[in-house]
Amino acid sequence: MINTQVATKEMFLADLVNQCSKLEVANRKGSAYGLQDLRDAATEYVLAASFPTVRDEEWRFTDLSSMLQVPFHVPQSYQSTVKLADIVMPVKNRDDLPLRLVFVNGFYAPDLSTVNLPDFYAGNLSNVPEKYRSRITDVLSQHKQQTEVFTALNVAGLADSAVVFVPANVCVEMPIHLLFLTAPGASPTMSQPHCVVIAEPGSNVTLIEDYATLGNVPAFTNAVTEVVVGENAAVNHVRLQREALDAVHIGKSAIVQSRNSRYTCHAISLGGKISRHNLEVFQRGEGTETTLNGLTVAFGEQLSDTHSLIDFNYPHGTSRQLHKCIIGNKARAVFNGKVFVRKAAQLTDAGQLSRNLLLSPRARVDTKPQLEIVADNVKCSHGATVSQLEDDELFYLQSRGLDLERSRYLLIDAFAAEILDKLPILGVAKMLSTCVAVQE
């Protein structure tokens, strides 16, 4: 029985890799970035790797075995049948969001994108100006050494990528909306979006990385995003996962910060039958500032998993992390936050807090904030809380004329507001507040 299960896992990965190998690099310009070599190395890694199971420490709360029963199909080209009118946008007024890049099943959709490029680049990999290509090659080349099977699987099928390149000392006034759509066909679809963001020294940019699905056919999104924050640069990053409830979403965000840079991530997870976000921040210079705000909302039988890592290796670094979960029905949330403070990272100031709200007796959360400190002159703290709606708070609101349902919503909204109010774009916060109310 065990041997059969192992063979099934191996066949599952081998089938996906085989489909990925047939993808053609966009416009055949991938040789400029050495994509084929990267793809070959990633393919070799995936074929030798094991499919994650609950026996693996990093996956012990997240059971992916149901994926093995679904014959996912990898689209080989872009199909222009999608209409943006079918998607609820984070910001409806186009004047507020004139820059939008749309990728459908991992393929760039120029007919759905709205791009204005005065002094920076936002587009796909094959159209990057020559003067920026060497920097992007440096970022992509980091995938020569793989350490995780789903990231390697994404690289094995890397045919194109969203690219945002902000030159030195350029401030992008308007946010850039990166919309990644999974549009299932007649059979379950696997989409592998890839995104590269480079903010050169002294630059400033705000991004909305947005994942959504169309239709009700099971889908699998395997996403990788790489963000490079240059010296004295600032990146404000909203990551919104709002896919369908029969979708599986696995995402990797890898951030590298240079000296005196500022990176803020607002990671919101609403959708997916199974979702997993691996967020890793690596300090590559002193004086970095990192802020991670997370909100997970899960109902029904959803499973939402967040794993984060902040790696300090230089002095005078600062980080603040607040992750909140709202869990109802029979849903389950996982939070595993790691902060590594290495010996050279003296005078680090790091704070981490996990706060969780359970709305039903069968809801469950597994939270594990953790610190690993080698330096001896630091200020670090971490903590976790798990609570329910208080009866006296509900009674107070009802005594003021509200019914029970409205009272519950107000308390849940107040719990989520601590994260949503920090979002850099008001329209996104309003939309997400509505989504939380609808799920409840």
Side-chain angles (χ1 to χ4, degrees), residues 337-341 350-352 368-373 380-382:
K338 301 177 184 177
V339 176
F340 290 162
V341 183
Q352 182 187 73
K368 186 182 178 183
Q370 58 187 107
L371 299 174
E372 184 175 323
I373 304 172
C380 297
S381 64
H382 66 158

Side-chain angles (χ1 to χ4, degrees), residues 227-238:
V227 181
V228 178
V229 190
E231 185 173 339
N232 293 305
V235 174
N236 208 340
H237 182 193
V238 178

Side-chain angles (χ1 to χ4, degrees), residues 164-235:
V164 175
F165 192 104
V166 185
N169 302 315
V170 171
C171 178
V172 182
E173 298 292 341
M174 293 292 182
I176 302 173
H177 185 201
L178 306 173
L179 178 58
F180 298 101
L181 297 175
T182 299
S187 59
T189 298
M190 174 180 170
S191 172
Q192 298 207 101
H194 197 103
C195 181
V196 176
V197 178
I198 299 178
E200 291 282 82
S203 63
N204 192 310
V205 64
T206 296
L207 307 166
I208 305 174
E209 181 185 356
D210 187 8
Y211 295 90
T213 52
L214 297 172
N216 297 316
V217 179
F220 173 31
T221 300
N222 182 35
V224 172
T225 297
E226 302 167 90
V227 181
V228 178
V229 190
E231 185 173 339
N232 293 305
V235 174

Side-chain angles (χ1 to χ4, degrees), residues 238-428:
V238 178
R239 188 185 193 276
L240 173 57
Q241 189 276 108
R242 52 184 179 124
E243 296 190 307
L245 295 181
D246 51 3
V248 176
H249 179 98
I250 296 177
K252 170 73 171 289
S253 300
I255 291 83
V256 176
Q257 289 189 249
S258 297
R259 184 174 182 268
N260 293 328
S261 63
R262 299 172 302 283
Y263 173 76
T264 301
C265 181
H266 314 270
I268 315 295
S269 178
L270 302 176
K273 178 181 178 181
I274 301 173
S275 65
R276 165 88 170 222
H277 182 212
N278 297 308
L279 173 58
E280 300 177 354
V281 182
F282 299 96
Q283 185 195 41
R284 294 294 181 264
E286 66 179 39
T288 60
E289 297 179 16
T290 305
T291 303
L292 305 182
N293 298 313
L295 176 63
T296 293
V297 180
F299 287 86
E301 297 185 356
Q302 287 180 270
L303 168 61
S304 184
D305 184 348
T306 299
H307 273 57
S308 69
L309 164 68
I310 305 176
D311 190 345
F312 289 98
N313 203 26
Y314 290 82
H316 300 285
T318 301
S319 72
R320 292 292 181 269
Q321 181 174 19
L322 173 61
H323 190 88
K324 288 193 167 189
C325 296
I326 302 173
I327 314 299
N329 305 122
K330 295 187 291 183
R332 183 174 185 176
V334 180
F335 172 73
N336 189 330
K338 301 177 184 177
V339 176
F340 290 162
V341 183
R342 303 183 187 275
K343 187 174 183 179
Q346 302 295 332
L347 300 174
T348 290
D349 183 354
Q352 182 187 73
L353 179 61
S354 167
R355 297 186 61 196
N356 307 278
L357 180 63
L358 302 183
L359 301 179
S360 77
R362 303 186 69 179
R364 179 172 175 177
V365 62
D366 296 282
T367 180
K368 186 182 178 183
Q370 58 187 107
L371 299 174
E372 184 175 323
I373 304 172
V374 180
D376 53 14
N377 186 10
V378 301
K379 179 182 178 182
C380 297
S381 64
H382 66 158
T385 64
V386 180
S387 62
Q388 299 174 335
L389 294 179
E390 297 292 340
D391 290 339
D392 56 346
E393 293 177 346
L394 290 170
F395 176 78
Y396 174 82
L397 292 174
Q398 289 177 278
S399 70
R400 294 300 185 268
L402 298 178
D403 60 24
L404 178 60
E405 182 179 0
R406 182 62 179 171
S407 299
R408 286 172 57 86
Y409 168 66
L410 284 178
L411 293 176
I412 294 169
D413 183 63
F415 184 84
E418 189 175 2
I419 299 296
L420 300 182
D421 289 349
K422 299 177 187 295
L423 295 177
I425 304 167
L426 181 60
V428 177

Side-chain angles (χ1 to χ4, degrees), residues 118-131:
D119 46 12
F120 65 97
Y121 178 77
N124 69 324
L125 190 63
S126 62
N127 293 316
V128 172
E130 183 68 33
K131 59 183 178 180

